[in-house]
Amino acid sequence: MFLVILGGFLMALADSVPGVSGGTIAFLIGIYDDFINSLNDIASRDKEKRMKAFKFLVKLGCGWIIGFCSAVLVITSVFEKNIYEISSLFLGFVLFSIPLIFVEEKESFKGKWYNAFWAIFGAAFVVAITYFSGDASATSLAWGEFDILGGIILFVGAMIAISAMVLPGISGSTILLVFGIYQPVMDAIDGFLHLEFKYVVGLCIFGVGIITGVFTTIKGLKVALDKARTATLYAIVGMMIGSLYSIVMGPTSLDTPKAAMNLDTFSLSSFLIGGGVIFGLQALKYFSAKKEEGKSE
């Protein structure tokens, strides 16, 4: 239970900033398949599957809500002030995790190197999304400050962003940047948490877009993992590789843009801490699995 709540918390922290995907965190902790299956099974006709999915998503959701509210209220400002240290930390997360994916999924990858093409495709896709995010323009979600077209953009952006958030390597926040609504959404959530109700309608449109994205994307992703797991995993690894570019370019997406990270602004200590966190999560995952095995015996 603790691992799932922690996973939700860390996923929210990742989802709240451009360049890192909550799906990556879920994959690293080892709850990605459970996450996708639960999203798929929540609408199942099988009552047992539906209840199991509901319990999992409630635990994950509790951690996610705590993490996202913390990010909006606190971490966003820290992120701006310490962008290079945090970007270096995220680089450590991703780089140290990629080899672990090959270790944990060795049976899926074994003898199927011809699927490596999908890694190239995944990396190129994420790099392209990040590159074009530079053309994003900002609006406001306050009532009366966006028109019908703005509402449509908000809905479609939310639908695609939540679809991206469940894919390791693709940052949903980066998708919001592409649509020019990242900062308006963050400002609206921050305003709502401070009881500014002028953002309610805009956030409702955003929420409906999220729900629509979940139910139109998850089914296809689950089928891909079930029917073409190796190709899908290669694409995921490629997306994670592509996210390295997103992380390096992250400082350019701030309210007050900064230069992309380079060797001078790279923080080795933060990078190593990121790697340490990944191995710590792996250790936590290992001991949690052992504990569950002990209970079942």
Side-chain angles (χ1 to χ4, degrees):
M1 177 177 176
F2 173 74
L3 186 63
V4 177
I5 295 175
L6 176 63
F9 180 82
L10 294 175
M11 286 173 70
L13 299 188
D15 286 334
S16 64
V17 293
V20 185
S21 166
T24 299
I25 301 298
F27 205 89
L28 300 180
I29 297 176
I31 62 172
Y32 188 71
D33 281 344
D34 290 335
F35 173 49
I36 297 300
N37 289 335
S38 294
L39 287 174
N40 181 70
D41 292 343
I42 194 66
S44 172
R45 294 182 179 179
D46 187 315
K47 184 178 179 181
E48 186 176 342
K49 281 186 177 181
R50 192 167 63 246
M51 286 304 299
K52 182 179 179 181
F54 177 76
K55 291 177 181 178
F56 177 88
L57 291 175
V58 166
K59 296 173 189 174
L60 190 77
C62 287
W64 198 94
I65 291 171
I66 294 170
F68 195 77
C69 290
S70 299
V72 172
L73 295 173
V74 180
I75 295 176
T76 301
S77 60
V78 175
F79 183 79
E80 295 253 355
K81 294 176 182 177
N82 302 278
I83 181 63
Y84 296 115
E85 289 78 7
I86 293 176
S87 294
S88 300
L89 181 75
F90 288 154
L91 282 178
F93 284 164
V94 176
L95 275 174
F96 281 91
S97 66
I98 290 174
L100 294 177
I101 294 175
F102 283 98
V103 171
E104 294 198 2
E105 294 284 346
K106 59 185 178 182
E107 292 303 319
S108 297
F109 287 112
K110 189 176 180 180
K112 298 180 181 178
W113 299 106
Y114 53 86
N115 282 304
F117 161 79
W118 292 104
I120 299 172
F121 174 80
F125 181 58
V126 175
V127 169
I129 288 174
T130 304
Y131 179 80
F132 288 111
S133 69
D135 296 329
S137 58
T139 55
S140 173
L141 269 64
W143 176 249
E145 295 185 27
F146 64 91
D147 54 18
I148 294 177
L149 178 60
I152 293 173
I153 291 173
L154 182 62
F155 174 83
V156 174
M159 187 173 68
I160 297 177
I162 195 63
S163 302
M165 283 178 183
V166 303
L167 291 171
I170 302 181
S171 167
S173 294
T174 299
I175 298 294
L176 296 182
L177 277 171
V178 172
F179 280 82
I181 56 176
Y182 172 72
Q183 196 58 47
V185 167
M186 297 299 284
D187 289 342
I189 295 172
D190 181 62
F192 181 75
L193 292 174
H194 287 92
L195 305 180
E196 294 181 37
F197 298 111
K198 63 182 179 180
Y199 296 110
V200 170
V201 174
L203 289 176
C204 284
I205 295 173
F206 186 74
V208 173
I210 286 176
I211 294 171
T212 303
V214 167
F215 285 103
T216 56
T217 302
I218 300 306
K219 179 72 71 173
L221 185 56
K222 184 181 185 303
V223 170
L225 285 168
D226 289 343
K227 304 295 185 181
R229 188 172 185 85
T230 304
T232 305
L233 288 172
Y234 266 116
I236 287 172
V237 169
M239 291 174 191
M240 294 176 71
I241 293 172
S243 74
L244 298 176
Y245 173 75
S246 301
I247 294 169
V248 169
M249 297 302 294
T252 66
S253 66
L254 298 176
D255 280 347
T256 304
K258 296 184 179 181
M261 188 171 66
N262 54 39
L263 289 177
D264 291 330
T265 53
F266 171 74
S267 172
L268 179 60
S269 58
S270 297
F271 175 77
L272 293 176
I273 289 173
V277 169
I278 293 304
F279 286 114
L281 291 172
Q282 285 294 308
L284 181 60
K285 173 185 170 184
Y286 173 79
F287 288 118
S288 296
K290 285 291 184 182
K291 187 177 179 180
E292 289 298 321
E293 287 179 8
K295 288 182 180 178
S296 61
E297 291 178 355

